[in-house]
Amino acid sequence: MTSPGTARQVADPAKGARPPRAVRVGLAPRRVAGPHRWWDWVLVTDPGLGQLQAGWRTLVAMVTSLAVGYGMAHALAVPSMIGMMVAGMMGLMSAFAVSGNSWQQLAKAILWMPFPFAAVLWTAAVLHGDRTLEISLNVAALALAFLLARFGPLGLLTGMMMFNGLLVGTMAGIPTALVGKAFAVALVSAAAVLAGRLLLCYPMPREDLLRTQRTFVVEARRLADTTVDALDPDADLKRVERRMNRSLRRLNIVTVTIDARLAQPEAAADPVVAELLHRHLFDAELALRATGKAVLALAAQSPPEELRRALVVGLLLARDTPPAQADGLRPAVEMIREQADAILRNPRADPRDAECAALARRVAESLGSLTGSLVSWLTLGRRTPNTPAAVPFHSAVALENNRLPGSAAPMRRALTARTRSGWQRAVPFVRAPLHAGVAAAIVCPIADAIDPQRFYWGLIGVMITLFGTNTTPERLRKFGHRMVGTAAGAVIGVLLLRLIGHHHVYWTLAVIVLGLSFGSWGMQRAYALWTTGLVVALVQLYGLTTPDGGMDHLLGERLLDNGIGILVASACAALIFPLSTRTIVREAEHGYVQAVQNLLAQISARWEEPDSPVRLRGAARAVDVALFQVTEVSRPLVRMPLGVRGRRPQHRLALLATAAGHARALAAAADIDIDLSPRLSERVRLIAHAFTDSLRALDHHLANGTAQGVWCPVGPLVRELRADVRPASPGPRAQRLQTALRELEALDTALAGFAEQSGLPLASGTDREPGRLGPVRRPAPAPAADRGGPRPVRSPATRVTGAVHATRAPAGAAATAGTDSTATVSVSGTVHCRAHPGGCSARITVINARGQRIAQTYTGETGHYRLGLLPGSHTLVVSAADHPPRARSVLVRPSQAELRVDIRL
């Protein structure tokens, strides 16, 4: 990674320096490095467009299958309803249960679906009329589907098609004579769906990866914009901090998702290039995090106005720099660094100003690191590793249904850990089928008593509860989503049914298809959205056979049957081979501790044997994945207000999140070649072993609930080592070693707090000999600062600030200082470049002397702009597509009636 300051660029071209070297656009895909687009917000809400692709896939599959089913029904003299029901099942299941990154995978799965479906359809036709046997077969088919799910995606698809075949046979009452024709309809519709998906939904994992990388770029820009808001002296810092934390969480999820997509062979065929991309994105995320944290700390201390203004302008330049010209970030870095150095070199500077300048320099260093990471990322096409430590990429996470895995992995590990001997080894295979079979056996008689024709609603409630859920809170949340979605879908569906009527078949089919497509799009966002779309579609289907007066009763029965199925399935899962939520949480925390242990082991190997093929960033990414799993399994059933819910779980999660942040910084800083003396190397091994022993004690406590050992803090040893290795004039390697040791100490402190919260005792003592571990030294708590209101600004006595004339001005922005004039001055001009001498389309942001964004306007195609500004000093930040942004200082005097400022990019 390029370190800050290795390639200084002078911002002013008039001084004779060479302009910043831009990365060639051809080296970066346009989809990733292109200019700002209005639809970028879609990528933020749906990284990789997985949700939109699910909706589009359902739309294509359903339209194709229903059309083919209708045509085949007429060709084979089969009732249209039966033909469309059989074909529609092929389309629906292909959209939901079939995924793959190659046409061979899609063809194998989709063309297989008609065979198990037709086999059980014939069985249902033969046994039609024997009510008890019919219900029993449905119960057995549901249990079999959960059993076959253990054998991979094709096994799950087989089980689901068998269950659906029995349902269709029970609902439609297809006679034996029509089973052969129904099989032909299913086979032809499956082939048509396959052709439609290959034509209109062809899998493109490489494009999905590029879209996800584009999401990273968009999130980085949003984070930079939030840092600018944090520096506004009138901003609510608590609100800005919440926004920044949300953006950092989304950024982390996007980078972890990119790692998961890199593991797909169809997305990144070269494992070495994939590893390089992983490293550079990891470093870029780390630099963005460091920038955000430093800006928050700086904003809380009310920096001098000159420094604040330089920071705002520099961050805006960083936000608007095109990724394909990432080297253009260096002028922004130099602008901030020079202003900070001016304060640090002043012997009469206020100590608080010097502290702010040190934080600003940290921001500049983080932006410099970001520059190096982005440049390396975009030039991957001509970079290959040539060091012995270069290793192929291995992802720490694999996507499940195009999403990051949540509670499934901890649940599987906890279940396996409890069933390792004797007959219990069969429990992981039979547990879910038993849950489904027993719950279905209880629900079916109840649902049959409510409505014999639609007893399968209870079965569906059991199925949807047990698929995709692993804890009782998850199942109960799904119950709430199902009830809310059913009620909302019933209201919307009935309104649409009354609007369309019963005799407009094509409009009815359109609503059915659009409802299912909407549900497919929303399934990964909220299960209630899928239920809403599904019920809207079913209401139209029910409307073909049910009078308007009976619709309310029918929907009420569906709500009741589904609710009974969900509650009974949740009860069975909690009573048959129970696995408590607390056990799964403990297993997730156990996985987190093991990930930290692995990171420490790799750091020790990296320092002791510099040529060892270790992946420190990959190990840190595994800590991120483990943290995500802990967060998912620890989600409460209902989120209560902060003053109501208990704070202990939140404290534990906060400590783990803090530790994960230090683990990332430690992994990046520790990836260096160091040459320590034998005495210092021995102390490094002592620290690593002591830390590992504490982690083992914590791991044993989490796994068994009993304390076996104590947590021995290594902070004192780390501080001694830092003092011994601190050279007189540290270079880049020495600085990174100091950073690694500092982050190691912070990681120890955060995990010691987590161990204490978990009930593991901490080592105690008052004295400590050199080289031995001692008590935890906790810093005294700092007094809480009032971070909610406006912060005081230390400024010179005479200061001029600008204001905006009717253009998105924040509250208080019109206030002036140091001038009596309140009349605005018209500032106008043209933005142009060499390629567009007549005018360039650009965005102009105005920064006043206090470092506030007081105006923003767009030039349009003509390049002309006009602003109304109060007298004072202002900075115009101009950004346009395919151009590095430019900052232009403007001094508006009260005596001027109009000011013209032309800007050349």
Side-chain angles (χ1 to χ4, degrees), residues 573-851:
L575 296 175
I576 301 174
F577 297 121
L579 197 62
S580 67
T581 302
R582 183 58 187 159
T583 301
I584 299 176
V585 172
R586 287 282 187 175
E587 180 58 39
E589 293 173 346
H590 162 72
Y592 182 95
V593 173
Q594 284 194 324
V596 176
Q597 283 183 272
N598 180 53
L599 173 62
L600 290 177
Q602 296 211 33
I603 289 175
S604 180
R606 178 73 174 89
W607 286 1
E608 293 177 12
E609 300 177 9
D611 292 339
S612 57
V614 298
R615 300 182 62 250
L616 297 186
R617 291 168 179 80
R621 188 60 75 207
V623 177
D624 281 338
V625 175
L627 175 64
F628 181 80
Q629 293 176 354
V630 174
T631 304
E632 285 296 299
V633 301
S634 302
R635 288 173 58 195
L637 179 61
V638 179
R639 293 188 181 276
M640 302 297 291
L642 282 174
V644 178
R645 66 173 182 251
R647 300 186 62 85
R648 186 180 179 89
Q650 281 69 33
H651 284 167
R652 292 166 61 88
L653 283 175
L655 287 168
L656 291 181
T658 302
H662 292 305
R664 295 186 207 102
L666 173 62
D671 195 10
I672 54 173
D673 297 334
I674 60 174
D675 186 15
L676 298 177
S677 65
R679 182 178 65 86
L680 294 179
S681 297
E682 180 61 29
R683 294 176 64 178
V684 168
R685 282 193 291 271
L686 173 64
I687 293 173
H689 292 162
F691 204 156
T692 302
D693 289 342
S694 295
L695 288 171
R696 288 198 185 105
L698 176 60
D699 196 15
H700 181 274
H701 178 68
L702 292 175
N704 302 290
T706 58
Q708 190 180 57
V710 296
W711 184 278
C712 297
V714 298
L717 285 179
V718 174
R719 285 192 291 271
E720 287 184 358
L721 182 60
R722 287 176 57 193
D724 289 344
V725 301
R726 183 180 296 118
S729 56
R733 282 203 308 172
Q735 289 179 353
R736 289 184 61 180
L737 178 59
Q738 290 288 329
T739 301
L741 294 175
R742 185 171 59 250
E743 294 297 337
L744 181 63
E745 181 184 0
L747 178 63
D748 170 69
T749 302
L751 289 178
F754 175 76
E756 188 177 23
Q757 289 276 341
S758 301
L760 182 70
L762 272 62
S764 60
T766 55
D767 298 318
R768 179 180 58 82
E769 298 178 6
R772 295 185 180 274
L773 298 177
V776 178
R777 297 182 180 179
R778 299 184 181 279
D786 182 11
R787 304 176 69 183
R791 288 149 284 158
V793 180
R794 300 188 304 276
S795 59
T798 58
R799 187 172 303 277
V800 182
T801 59
V804 60
H805 180 65
T807 310
R808 205 182 63 132
T816 59
T819 179
D820 296 332
S821 176
T822 58
T824 61
V825 176
S826 176
V827 179
S828 61
T830 302
V831 178
H832 58 280
C833 64
R834 180 178 301 176
H836 304 90
C840 230
S841 178
R843 174 173 60 179
I844 300 178
T845 306
V846 183
I847 310 299
N848 66 6
R850 296 182 66 200

Side-chain angles (χ1 to χ4, degrees), residues 11 19 207 214 397 416 464 620 660 691 737:
E207 293 296 312
R214 174 68 180 184
V397 60
T416 303
I464 60 102
F691 204 156
L737 178 59

Side-chain angles (χ1 to χ4, degrees), residues 849-867:
R850 296 182 66 200
Q852 292 176 298
R853 279 189 291 189
I854 60 171
Q856 181 171 288
T857 186
Y858 294 86
T859 63
E861 297 295 334
T862 62
H864 183 73
Y865 72 93
R866 179 177 294 275
L867 293 165

Side-chain angles (χ1 to χ4, degrees), residues 309 799-802 819 825-827 846-849 865 869-876 888-901:
R309 185 177 184 179
R799 187 172 303 277
V800 182
T801 59
T819 179
V825 176
S826 176
V827 179
V846 183
I847 310 299
N848 66 6
Y865 72 93
L869 302 178
L870 289 174
S873 177
H874 305 274
T875 302
L876 306 184
R888 175 73 175 270
S889 297
V890 176
L891 179 61
V892 180
R893 295 183 174 86
S895 59
Q896 293 176 309
E898 187 173 352
L899 179 64
R900 182 172 181 85
V901 180

Side-chain angles (χ1 to χ4, degrees), residues 96-363:
F96 279 99
V98 178
S99 61
N101 288 332
S102 65
W103 70 268
Q104 294 94 335
Q105 295 173 343
L106 294 181
K108 178 181 178 181
I110 294 178
L111 296 180
W112 167 247
M113 291 192 305
F115 294 93
F117 180 83
V120 296
L121 196 63
W122 178 84
T123 304
V126 170
L127 300 177
H128 187 66
D130 191 333
R131 188 66 173 171
T132 303
L133 188 57
E134 199 172 43
I135 293 178
S136 300
L137 278 177
N138 279 276
V139 172
L142 183 59
L144 181 62
F146 280 88
L147 179 62
L148 292 177
R150 297 283 305 186
F151 299 96
L154 194 60
L156 173 61
L157 182 63
T158 301
M160 291 303 301
M161 294 310 300
M162 294 174 67
F163 176 70
N164 291 332
L166 281 175
L167 279 185
V168 171
T170 303
M171 289 186 295
I174 300 177
T176 310
L178 292 182
V179 171
K181 294 182 178 180
F183 172 70
V185 172
L187 189 60
V188 173
S189 61
V193 168
L194 174 62
R197 286 190 58 172
L198 292 179
L199 181 63
L200 301 176
C201 313
Y202 193 84
M204 294 182 289
R206 177 62 179 168
E207 293 296 312
D208 295 338
L209 173 63
L210 295 179
R211 293 190 192 99
T212 313
Q213 292 173 339
R214 174 68 180 184
T215 307
F216 178 88
V217 173
V218 176
E219 277 293 352
R221 286 172 172 165
R222 289 173 57 136
L223 180 62
D225 196 68
T226 304
T227 58
V228 174
D229 289 339
L231 290 169
D232 190 330
D234 297 330
D236 183 351
L237 197 55
K238 287 184 178 179
R239 180 174 174 272
V240 173
E241 187 173 4
R242 287 194 298 269
R243 284 179 53 201
M244 187 175 296
N245 288 334
R246 285 196 301 269
S247 184
L248 287 173
R249 283 195 297 270
R250 289 194 298 263
L251 193 73
N252 181 252
I253 290 175
V254 170
T255 52
V256 174
T257 304
I258 290 174
D259 276 357
R261 293 192 185 279
L262 286 173
Q264 300 173 355
E266 296 85 358
D270 190 343
V272 174
V273 173
E275 171 66 15
L276 285 173
L277 179 58
H278 153 74
R279 292 181 185 181
H280 297 318
L281 282 180
F282 184 94
D283 292 339
E285 181 199 1
L286 197 64
L288 288 167
R289 283 182 171 275
T291 301
K293 298 301 182 184
V295 167
L296 280 178
L298 187 63
Q301 298 188 17
S302 299
E305 289 186 358
E306 294 83 359
L307 182 61
R308 186 196 302 272
R309 185 177 184 179
L311 281 165
V312 170
V313 172
L315 289 170
L316 283 176
L317 292 174
R319 182 200 67 181
D320 294 336
T321 298
Q325 298 170 339
D327 243 2
L329 277 171
R330 302 195 190 280
V333 173
E334 291 303 319
M335 178 183 297
I336 299 173
R337 182 181 287 132
E338 289 173 3
Q339 188 63 47
D341 288 345
I343 298 176
L344 293 174
R345 287 193 299 264
N346 185 4
R348 292 178 294 179
D350 189 286
R352 293 176 297 179
D353 292 350
E355 184 178 355
C356 292
L359 286 171
R361 188 168 180 83
R362 190 185 306 173
V363 173

